Amino acid sequence: MPSDKIENTVPLLSAFFTEIGIIEQLSRAALERVLPDGMKQPHFGVLNHMVRLGLDESPAQLASAFQVTRPTMTNTIQKLEAKGYVVVKPDPRDGRAKIVQITDKGRAAREAGLAALGPLMQPLYETLGKDLFEELTPKLSRVRTYMDENR
Amino acid sequence: MPSDKIENTVPLLSAFFTEIGIIEQLSRAALERVLPDGMKQPHFGVLNHMVRLGLDESPAQLASAFQVTRPTMTNTIQKLEAKGYVVVKPDPRDGRAKIVQITDKGRAAREAGLAALGPLMQPLYETLGKDLFEELTPKLSRVRTYMDENR
DNA sequence: ACCCTTTAATTAGATATCTAACTATATAAT
DNA sequence: ATTATATAGTTAGATATCTAATTAAAGGGT
């Protein structure tokens, strides 16, 4: 299976990554058009992550979870904090670290975002079929995992 | 096939788009690490597009091809022009429009980018297999096409 | 001919992201 | 203990992107 003709590698993988890039752009634009209160995708992503995991994580852990740099996560957290969606406290166990906690207001904003998401996704789901996404997601996960481990 | 339980829509599609987003980040970072002369992904993408199609297109056509806004493409073209990779001329058939042409220097830069791309993609190809990408790409294309037509 | 609408390109201003550099704290080595 | 190294978080500066507004030109309707 591995090591077919290498000449075909670049065009094939270029087409793959081109599709990935355009879907990313389209999905972010579609999401941000319906998110309430001018919320951006990364903000919603972090709120969602915190609700689902139910943990109080550090900025560094969040940066790692979202594959962004720490300064980027610093910026995201500051925006969430300014809106009252999270509170940031010092970590009693590590003087360098902090702990980020979602607030009730943050939970409400996340709920509102989720509610806006349904109508966006339902047509995709109904038109293209659940099976397509159930098939694609684990395979994309394989690609993502490999790239993440070998970067 | 369409219209399964709608409750499952959001988590399933969220996971899909999360994978898309992370792969996009990782691939852009990997690409820009190996591109010569500080070239960025959009610059390489435009040069590549122009060589493959062999057409002289307008900024508006390029913006449409890459699914970015026109101001974004204006910025990209200005950067390419500053490096001498393209020349921009008025369109004799439409006083509003311009025509973007790749230069020999731009072609050389594109070639250098392509050469750097191979070693990046070969491990992916060999480890995960050609079949995976041949299977994924047309399916992603279906998703992209639908989203593009219904945004 | 003249106005109205659309389209092409740009400019201005805002935001998210990155890398590099900095501060502070923790951990390991000697 | 002291020193060196690594890690957490932030700040500073640069870039790519977006939306809104501006300018110029094309096309359609009356």
Side-chain angles (χ1 to χ4, degrees):
Chain A
M1 209 155 305
S3 192
D4 294 72
K5 287 215 191 59
I6 201 63
E7 292 77 40
N8 306 323
T9 305
V10 171
L12 174 58
L13 292 198
S14 292
F16 171 76
F17 287 115
T18 297
E19 295 294 353
I20 293 280
I22 295 181
I23 292 173
E24 193 278 335
Q25 275 176 314
L26 293 172
S27 67
R28 181 164 32 78
L31 173 64
E32 293 182 352
R33 222 179 300 123
V34 301
L35 281 180
D37 197 28
M39 209 189 321
K40 301 297 173 185
Q41 187 185 56
H43 304 160
F44 179 65
V46 168
L47 293 181
N48 215 24
H49 176 88
M50 292 200 284
V51 169
R52 281 181 317 185
L53 268 65
L55 303 172
D56 297 334
E57 292 176 290
S58 68
Q61 287 172 317
L62 290 169
S64 172
F66 285 90
Q67 308 285 10
V68 297
T69 61
R70 280 194 265 230
T72 296
M73 188 52 66
T74 294
N75 180 286
T76 300
I77 291 167
Q78 286 173 345
K79 296 297 160 61
L80 290 171
E81 201 177 12
K83 288 191 174 179
Y85 293 161
V86 303
V87 291
V88 181
K89 308 187 304 188
D91 184 338
R93 290 187 279 181
D94 186 335
R96 300 166 300 179
K98 296 185 174 179
I99 292 172
V100 184
Q101 286 179 326
I102 192 168
T103 63
D104 287 343
K105 191 177 175 189
R107 261 180 279 268
R110 181 257 183 178
E111 282 301 324
L114 265 192
L117 223 55
L120 203 65
M121 292 185 166
Q122 186 168 346
L124 257 181
Y125 190 86
E126 292 187 346
T127 303
L128 298 175
K130 178 186 179 183
D131 293 351
L132 180 63
F133 295 100
E134 284 183 336
E135 190 191 345
L136 282 172
T137 304
K139 287 174 177 164
L140 290 176
S141 179
R142 283 182 58 205
V143 176
R144 186 258 303 162
T145 301
Y146 177 81
M147 292 181 71
D148 189 23
E149 287 169 349
N150 295 88
R151 78 194 132 133
Chain B
M1 212 152 302
S3 190
D4 294 73
K5 290 218 188 55
I6 202 62
E7 293 76 41
N8 306 322
T9 306
V10 171
L12 174 59
L13 291 198
S14 292
F16 170 76
F17 287 115
T18 297
E19 295 293 354
I20 293 280
I22 294 180
I23 291 173
E24 194 277 336
Q25 274 175 316
L26 292 172
S27 68
R28 182 163 33 75
L31 174 63
E32 293 182 351
R33 222 178 301 122
V34 302
L35 281 180
D37 196 27
M39 210 188 322
K40 301 298 174 186
Q41 188 185 54
H43 305 160
F44 180 64
V46 169
L47 292 181
N48 215 23
H49 176 88
M50 293 199 283
V51 169
R52 280 180 316 186
L53 267 66
L55 303 172
D56 296 335
E57 291 176 290
S58 69
Q61 287 172 317
L62 289 169
S64 172
F66 284 91
Q67 308 287 9
V68 297
T69 62
R70 279 194 265 229
T72 296
M73 188 52 68
T74 294
N75 180 286
T76 301
I77 291 168
Q78 285 172 345
K79 296 298 160 58
L80 291 172
E81 202 177 11
K83 287 191 175 180
Y85 294 162
V86 303
V87 291
V88 181
K89 308 187 303 184
D91 184 338
R93 291 188 277 180
D94 187 334
R96 301 165 300 180
K98 296 186 175 180
I99 292 174
V100 185
Q101 287 180 325
I102 191 169
T103 63
D104 287 343
K105 191 177 175 188
R107 262 180 277 270
R110 181 257 181 177
E111 282 301 323
L114 266 192
L117 223 56
L120 203 65
M121 292 185 164
Q122 186 167 347
L124 258 181
Y125 191 86
E126 292 188 347
T127 303
L128 298 173
K130 178 185 178 182
D131 293 353
L132 180 63
F133 295 100
E134 283 184 337
E135 190 191 346
L136 283 171
T137 305
K139 287 174 178 165
L140 290 176
S141 179
R142 284 182 58 205
V143 177
R144 185 257 305 162
T145 301
Y146 177 82
M147 293 182 71
D148 189 24
E149 286 169 349
N150 296 89
R151 78 193 132 134

